[in-house]
Amino acid sequence: MAATRTGLIATGSYLPKDEVGNAEIAARAGVTAEWIERKTEIVSRRYAAPDEATSDLATHAARNALDQAGLTADAIDYLVVATSTGDFPQPPTSYLVQDALGAFRAACFDINVVCSGFVYALEVARSLTAGRPGSRALVIGADLYSRILDFEDRRTAVLFADGAGAALLGPVEEPFGLLGADLVSRGDAHDLIRVEAGGSRNPASAATLAEGGHFFRMNGRGVRDFVAEHVPPALSALTRRLGVATEEIDHFVPHQANGVMLRELVGSAGLDHAVTHRTLHKYGNVGSASVPVALDEAHRDGAFSPGDLVLLAGFGGGMSIGSALLRWGVAA
């Protein structure tokens, strides 16, 4: 029998139907549509319907991945949801997705590492499946930012949106599969991205609502500086540890933070030769869903060939960086 390792055997994604263009956002944020596109390279984004929550988006993406794999929900051993905008403080969003799918064999939990969440969850799921040969894990990144945006804050209102992406992990034949990952956490920069109210330190109250404490806040300049300083070395450290030259990378699937930032990152990381997969222009920044949504679109478009080296990179609140390298292949 061929040797196996854990790899991606299917992908899925879901974007809400409500498309919101720059003109609508510009009118609320006090800028122009041209300013938004020039500063971010975003043209449109999707917002969830009033009756949709994060678990609904995640469930749709999960079903699409299962359908692609030709599997039912009872084939899942682990179900991990990466989100910073869960349906409720409790219960975990993953349990709501489990119930909706009927995946009652699966052990479930959430991960909140903001925009790095999917890559962190991928590595946790890889570790779990590696310790249980033949098992499968469904990893979902899902966020619904439109409910926590201050539309008068142009630093955030023009960027963030809603979506979900999923990947189904299972055994693939070597040399394919996930080759390794690196997870970087920098709590000394925790104040760059935050929601200040609604937790145990600053519980929800009439005062926190009046002060806008439940809105998503971001120090855009600080985030950009953090990414420029820390992400390229993190990516280089991963490839060097795995014995892969940067020039060997065929595809780069990064977090879709900001189009201008992405172009700068590709250059500084030495990845100009790789195909960088972008969905930002049409979906905006969908948080932990960014990487799996871009991955799924590239997969369904036939962008990957067996043996291609695919580099995934998430970065965001915490501050955090998650990178993973996989050799594209097929299920064992």
Side-chain angles (χ1 to χ4, degrees), residues 39-311:
K39 291 288 188 178
T40 70
E41 298 186 5
I42 297 170
V43 176
S44 65
R45 73 280 292 147
R46 304 289 183 90
Y47 286 170
D51 61 346
E52 285 184 313
T54 299
S55 66
D56 299 311
L57 276 56
T59 299
H60 286 305
R63 284 182 175 140
N64 288 336
L66 288 169
D67 288 347
Q68 186 183 87
L71 295 173
T72 55
D74 59 4
I76 303 168
D77 298 286
Y78 304 101
L79 196 164
V80 190
V81 173
T83 185
S84 56
T85 57
D87 288 30
F88 309 105
Q90 297 180 34
T93 300
S94 55
Y95 284 71
L96 306 177
V97 177
Q98 179 194 46
D99 188 33
L101 293 174
F104 298 115
R105 283 189 57 250
C108 307
F109 55 94
D110 290 4
I111 286 180
N112 178 3
V113 201
V114 198
C115 298
S116 300
F118 175 78
V119 181
Y120 269 65
L122 201 67
E123 174 60 3
V124 172
R126 184 205 61 78
S127 300
L128 290 169
T129 55
R132 187 175 172 184
S135 61
R136 300 185 184 94
L138 185 56
V139 180
I140 307 166
D143 270 312
L144 203 159
Y145 275 101
S146 63
R147 305 273 165 81
I148 60 171
L149 291 177
D150 176 357
F151 284 95
E152 295 182 359
D153 178 8
R154 68 181 188 178
R155 294 169 298 181
T156 56
V158 303
L159 287 170
F160 291 88
D162 309 333
L168 185 61
L169 273 61
V172 300
E173 294 181 1
E174 292 188 5
F176 307 116
L178 287 159
L179 306 181
D182 270 350
L183 309 177
V184 177
S185 302
R186 289 298 301 266
D188 53 331
H190 68 271
D191 59 339
L192 294 179
I193 294 175
R194 63 201 186 281
V195 176
E196 296 175 339
S200 61
R201 184 171 297 279
N202 203 8
S205 67
T208 62
L209 286 171
E211 294 166 358
H214 302 266
F215 288 135
F216 178 89
R217 302 295 184 190
M218 181 177 70
N219 177 338
R221 174 58 62 183
V223 169
R224 186 169 178 172
D225 291 345
F226 178 91
V227 170
E229 180 180 355
H230 295 287
V231 175
L235 300 181
S236 178
L238 172 65
T239 55
R240 188 168 56 250
R241 178 171 65 81
L242 296 176
V244 174
T246 303
E247 296 74 21
E248 296 179 70
I249 304 298
D250 299 296
H251 302 271
F252 183 41
V253 186
H255 168 48
Q256 309 288 305
N258 173 299
V260 176
M261 181 191 295
L262 279 187
R263 281 194 284 106
E264 294 172 350
L265 174 60
V266 168
S268 59
L271 291 167
D272 299 278
H273 65 282
V275 178
T276 298
H277 296 277
R278 300 169 183 258
T279 57
L280 181 93
H281 59 289
K282 57 184 176 179
Y283 300 141
N285 182 337
V286 288
S288 61
S290 284
V291 171
V293 165
L295 183 69
D296 180 53
E297 288 219 345
H299 180 200
R300 290 175 187 269
D301 288 344
F304 305 133
S305 298
D308 282 355
L309 283 171
V310 183
L311 178 63

